[in-house]
Amino acid sequence: MKTKKFLAVLISGILMAALLSGCGTDKGGDNSAANTAGTNSEAKLSGTIKMAGSTSMEKLANALSESFMAENPKVSVTAEFIGSSAGIEAVTSGSSNIGNSSRALKDSEKSAGIAENIVAIDGIAVIVNKGSAEELTKDQLVSIYKGETKNWSDVGASGGAIVVVGREAGSGTRDAFEEILELKNECAYANELDSTGAVMAKVASTPGAIGYVSLDVLDDSVTALKIDGVEPTEQNIKDDKYLLSRPFIMATKGEISQQNELVKAWFDYIESDAGQKIIQKVGLITVK
């Protein structure tokens, strides 16, 4: 009987030791999971992305930045809106990670190692003070901006003297507008303004005024003209029917694949469903 009791106690002890060993293993497993979670947390994005450039891209840049930072709380995205050419200069010099440009890059900029990353397409709307006109042909538009046509009556419209409004030198909108219409250094501007909003306000408040702005900022304070009978709409731009459209570019020094992980993640986000929805929400046309 004593032997049986001894065996029972021995077996019980062995079982208890096994159970304790098992608990120790489980505890170690929990620590391992915690360590993994800690590693994942540390792997989250952090740092700063600096952008500079086009005022026309302000709405897009701000919307993308806000959404990206909401998903990545340790990331800060800053943006200066100083004009396309200045933005390209900033990314070339290395003072910005991204140069926002609302025009195609020049050959000289590309040869300096700047990559043209098209993130969206924008239409340029020709706007007039309400009551001036409803449409123009391409030739009439060119003649107005050259200063050859000076009164709305000369193009079969009302509104009196034409006030030609445009953007300042270095503006991506101006560069794209003049390049598409082959008007480089030929425009007779009455006013050269330094932002999209300023052009909208000037045309809206000035009888006889004509100007050009990004399609996404249009509102009912002005009239957007048909050009050669075609309205400035997203579908007409996608169908390649509307004359005045341009790329929105987030330029980098070197290809995206050569950028740091944070900048790569930024472009991945733009390509994602969330990023594409933001592009559409601000009134632009997706590239994809």
Side-chain angles (χ1 to χ4, degrees):
M1 290 292 293
K2 287 183 179 179
T3 303
K4 287 182 179 179
K5 264 186 184 180
F6 175 78
L7 287 172
V9 171
L10 182 61
I11 291 169
S12 177
I14 292 169
L15 289 171
M16 183 62 72
L19 286 170
L20 289 172
S21 176
C23 289
T25 302
D26 287 345
K27 188 174 181 181
D30 289 343
N31 285 338
S32 177
N35 290 337
T36 301
T39 301
N40 288 340
S41 177
E42 290 171 2
K44 286 183 178 178
L45 294 171
S46 63
T48 300
I49 297 173
K50 293 182 179 180
M51 293 191 291
S54 172
T55 64
S56 298
M57 291 176 66
E58 181 172 359
K59 187 186 291 187
L60 173 64
N62 285 341
L64 286 170
S65 297
E66 288 170 12
S67 183
F68 187 74
M69 288 189 290
E71 290 198 10
N72 301 280
K74 294 183 178 180
V75 174
S76 173
V77 183
T78 66
E80 290 184 281
F81 302 103
I82 54 178
S84 296
S85 294
I88 300 303
E89 289 174 8
V91 76
T92 303
S93 69
S95 61
S96 289
N97 304 104
I98 294 169
N100 292 334
S101 176
S102 51
R103 59 163 173 80
L105 296 190
K106 300 172 183 176
D107 289 341
S108 59
E109 292 165 341
K110 291 179 180 178
S111 65
I114 305 305
E116 185 178 79
N117 309 306
I118 300 174
V119 296
I121 299 171
D122 178 42
I124 300 174
V126 178
I127 58 171
V128 296
N129 182 260
K130 281 184 169 292
S132 296
E134 297 293 330
E135 63 180 293
L136 291 170
T137 66
K138 175 185 174 182
D139 289 343
Q140 287 172 334
L141 181 61
V142 169
S143 180
I144 286 170
Y145 269 86
K146 282 184 173 182
E148 297 168 349
T149 298
K150 300 179 183 294
N151 197 291
W152 285 109
S153 62
D154 296 331
V155 291
S158 58
I162 299 173
V163 180
V164 179
V165 178
R167 289 292 306 279
E168 81 287 4
S171 157
T173 311
R174 172 169 167 165
D175 285 347
F177 178 82
E178 293 181 356
E179 185 175 331
I180 292 167
L181 294 175
E182 299 180 345
L183 281 171
K184 279 289 183 185
N185 303 315
E186 294 188 57
C187 289
Y189 292 113
N191 300 102
E192 298 178 50
L193 305 177
D194 64 2
S195 72
T196 299
V199 173
M200 283 283 288
K202 183 67 176 179
V203 172
S205 63
T206 306
I210 184 170
Y212 47 79
V213 296
S214 294
L215 189 66
D216 66 302
V217 303
L218 283 179
D219 60 34
D220 60 7
S221 68
V222 296
T223 298
L225 297 182
K226 294 179 182 177
I227 305 298
D228 289 333
V230 181
E231 293 182 13
T233 66
E234 178 178 331
Q235 193 57 53
N236 283 337
I237 290 170
K238 282 188 172 180
D239 292 342
D240 202 25
K241 293 179 179 178
Y242 182 70
L243 176 66
L244 298 169
S245 65
R246 50 147 176 200
F248 270 6
I249 291 161
M250 290 189 173
T252 51
K253 192 170 186 177
E255 300 299 327
I256 293 173
S257 61
Q258 299 173 274
Q259 306 307 305
N260 63 45
E261 293 306 311
L262 186 52
V263 174
K264 287 179 187 176
W266 169 262
F267 282 100
D268 285 343
Y269 183 74
I270 293 173
E271 289 288 318
S272 72
D273 288 343
Q276 295 295 292
K277 285 177 182 175
I278 290 170
I279 290 170
Q280 293 173 326
K281 188 175 180 180
V282 299
L284 297 171
I285 301 164
T286 57
V287 179
K288 292 172 67 175

